[in-house]
Amino acid sequence: MADYINVTSLNRLARQVLAQCDPLNDLIVCGEISGFTRHYKSGHLYFTLKDENASIKTVMFRSQAQLLNFEPQNGMLVLVYGRATIYERDGAFQLYADYMKPFGAGAAQMAFDALYKKLEAEGLFAPERKRPLPAVPRCIGVVTSKSGAAWQDVQNVIRRRWPMVKLLLAPVSVQGIEAEKSITEGIRRLDRDPRPDLILVTRGGGSKEDLWVFNAERIARAAAACRKPVVSAVGHEIDTSILDYVADLRAPTPSAAAELCVPDQSDVRQKIFILQQNIQKNIQNRCKLCYNRFDQLATAQLLQRQHQQLARRERELAGLQAAVQQAAQHRMQDAQRSLQHAASVAQSLSPYAVLARGYTLTERNGVPCSVEALHPGEAVTLRGAKAAAECRIEAVHNLEKQTGE
């Protein structure tokens, strides 16, 4: 009778046998997600991958799940990269996923839209975050494949437009399972390097699947966290990625990106030529002004003497003016004293002043009149200083005749 083994040993033996099967350790499995669960505590993903005829339980641990650039959902068709083996405790044959990406246009677009909304809500696409590129960069960091056409295009355009700038390449994989990590590390490495003034992330054209890595959340966040301006140039003009929205500037092609990053030396030469002409004209104009000024120096002395004479005459005139004003003031004071004296005399001769001493004034019909002009029976008014009396003339006596007699 053969020796027996327990269940644990059986499951361990099966796992060891499967571990030695190379095809099972490097799998890319296509299937539809079903029964998707994200463990609330551990963060591991548990789901079933199925097609029309079969299914397999699948596990993705938290460390790999954090690297996903989309949110898995039930019914989504995906490609799972990983290995298949036995879970010893339950004896279950299952798939351990190291990486996963949407497969097919519908699933891919769903993942793209979900990530777009998420990053937009966080403000990573906001226009106020966009930084201007340096006008004349001294060094440009380039994140791309060292063997790709994009790297050659960038070098050719830079060499033609502005050969003074230095290019610092961070060679990365731009497609495949390692591309996301490689591009992310390339961006961060150039951001830490003090030499580049800006960072260009680029690759040439390709299929939508080839360019999908530039929709990765890790790459988008690495670009958003950069302290230096980031330029995105992925694929052709019709291709748009999440990185394009996060970058400070999006270019339709690698060649266009290189043109946007540096000035054109021919344009700069033309501007310098124009500046030289303007400076030359300015110098000539200033020389003419100096010559004219020199010609005027001869007459300047004469003008100075005339100014001195005018100043002397002005001082003399000021002295005469002061004397005239002083004489006029004395004349005015004399006139004021004479006027005051005349007013005093007139005051003393005023008949109203006599009334104040007790005399009266005879008025007829409101007009002063002499006694000689009065006739018996007339009504008159005797006006004193403080009172008036209404009287009627009884008789008028001629005092001269009486005195003569």
Side-chain angles (χ1 to χ4, degrees):
M1 183 177 178
D3 293 337
Y4 68 89
I5 61 174
N6 58 25
V7 176
T8 300
S9 299
L10 175 61
N11 288 351
R12 183 177 297 116
L13 179 60
R15 184 179 62 80
Q16 291 172 354
V17 171
L18 294 177
Q20 296 173 2
C21 181
D22 291 339
L24 293 179
N25 291 316
D26 190 14
L27 294 172
I28 302 178
V29 183
C30 179
E32 180 184 319
I33 295 177
S34 175
F36 177 81
T37 302
R38 184 188 295 271
H39 195 275
Y40 73 96
K41 190 172 183 180
S42 66
H44 303 330
L45 307 184
Y46 299 95
F47 57 94
T48 299
L49 202 63
K50 67 178 184 177
D51 58 20
E52 61 273 11
N53 298 318
S55 64
I56 182 172
K57 292 186 178 298
T58 308
V59 178
M60 175 175 274
F61 295 119
R62 178 182 178 180
S63 56
Q64 284 80 26
Q66 289 178 333
L67 305 180
L68 292 179
N69 58 12
F70 71 101
E71 184 65 28
Q73 298 180 17
N74 289 328
M76 183 180 290
L77 190 65
V78 294
L79 290 179
V80 176
Y81 298 72
R83 58 190 175 86
T85 187
I86 291 286
Y87 180 45
E88 289 186 30
R89 192 191 69 180
D90 297 338
F93 180 71
Q94 59 186 21
L95 182 64
Y96 289 87
D98 295 325
Y99 179 72
M100 179 168 55
K101 68 178 183 179
F103 184 73
Q109 189 60 45
M110 186 185 303
F112 181 94
D113 293 342
L115 181 59
Y116 181 93
K117 292 179 181 178
K118 176 181 178 181
L119 299 184
E120 183 183 34
E122 294 181 18
L124 267 63
F125 304 158
E128 55 268 21
R129 291 189 69 258
K130 307 299 182 183
R131 295 162 292 188
L133 303 185
V136 185
R138 293 170 296 178
C139 179
I140 299 176
V142 183
V143 180
T144 191
S145 171
K146 63 180 179 181
S147 59
W151 173 233
Q152 297 300 324
D153 292 342
V154 170
Q155 290 183 91
N156 293 336
V157 173
I158 294 294
R159 192 179 301 115
R160 171 174 54 83
R161 287 176 62 87
W162 196 253
M164 291 75 76
V165 71
K166 295 181 180 179
L167 297 178
L168 181 61
L169 175 65
V172 298
S173 298
V174 292
Q175 66 184 58
I177 192 171
E178 295 296 329
E180 179 181 339
K181 180 180 179 183
S182 180
I183 295 171
T184 302
E185 291 178 351
I187 294 174
R188 291 172 178 170
R189 187 164 61 251
L190 288 179
D191 191 40
R192 292 192 299 267
D193 196 310
R195 290 173 291 178
D197 298 315
L198 62 94
I199 298 173
L200 170 60
V201 184
T202 183
R203 70 151 286 169
S207 65
K208 195 168 186 177
E209 289 75 17
D210 293 338
L211 303 179
W212 189 259
V213 66
F214 291 94
N215 294 320
E217 183 174 357
R218 279 206 302 173
I219 295 177
R221 293 194 181 278
C226 273
R227 295 168 297 175
K228 302 169 183 177
V230 176
V231 179
S232 172
V234 178
H236 300 298
E237 188 169 0
I238 60 173
D239 301 314
T240 304
S241 66
I242 292 294
L243 177 62
D244 292 336
Y245 293 104
V246 176
D248 297 287
L249 179 67
R250 186 251 178 183
T253 63
S255 298
E259 292 183 357
L260 293 172
C261 288
V262 295
D264 189 351
Q265 59 179 337
S266 60
D267 293 341
V268 174
R269 286 196 183 99
Q270 180 65 22
K271 292 179 180 178
I272 292 175
F273 176 73
I274 294 174
L275 286 175
Q276 288 176 337
Q277 287 186 324
N278 292 338
I279 291 173
Q280 218 168 20
K281 291 179 181 179
N282 195 354
I283 292 175
Q284 290 175 352
N285 292 335
R286 287 180 178 272
C287 288
K288 289 180 180 179
L289 290 175
C290 291
Y291 293 150
N292 295 335
R293 182 64 177 169
F294 181 77
D295 292 338
Q296 294 172 357
L297 288 177
T299 58
Q301 295 180 353
L302 177 60
L303 291 176
Q304 185 176 7
R305 288 195 297 271
Q306 291 178 348
H307 290 161
Q308 291 175 350
Q309 292 178 0
L310 289 175
R312 186 174 63 254
R313 295 290 180 85
E314 185 177 0
R315 289 193 296 271
E316 292 175 358
L317 180 61
L320 293 175
Q321 184 178 5
V324 169
Q325 289 178 349
Q326 186 175 9
Q329 186 175 7
H330 291 163
R331 293 289 298 273
M332 183 178 295
Q333 290 175 353
D334 293 342
Q336 287 178 346
R337 286 194 292 270
S338 298
L339 180 61
Q340 290 175 354
H341 177 71
S344 299
V345 173
Q347 179 67 23
S348 63
L349 297 176
S350 173
Y352 295 101
V354 176
L355 297 180
R357 296 198 297 271
Y359 292 94
T360 60
L361 178 65
T362 304
E363 293 181 350
R364 183 174 56 190
N365 299 325
V367 178
C369 63
S370 62
V371 177
E372 292 82 0
L374 297 178
H375 301 282
E378 287 183 328
V380 296
T381 300
L382 296 181
R383 184 175 302 278
K386 296 182 179 180
E390 299 295 334
C391 305
R392 185 172 297 278
I393 302 299
E394 293 293 335
V396 177
H397 304 285
N398 191 335
L399 299 179
E400 289 183 352
K401 292 181 177 181
Q402 293 178 359
T403 304
E405 290 176 1

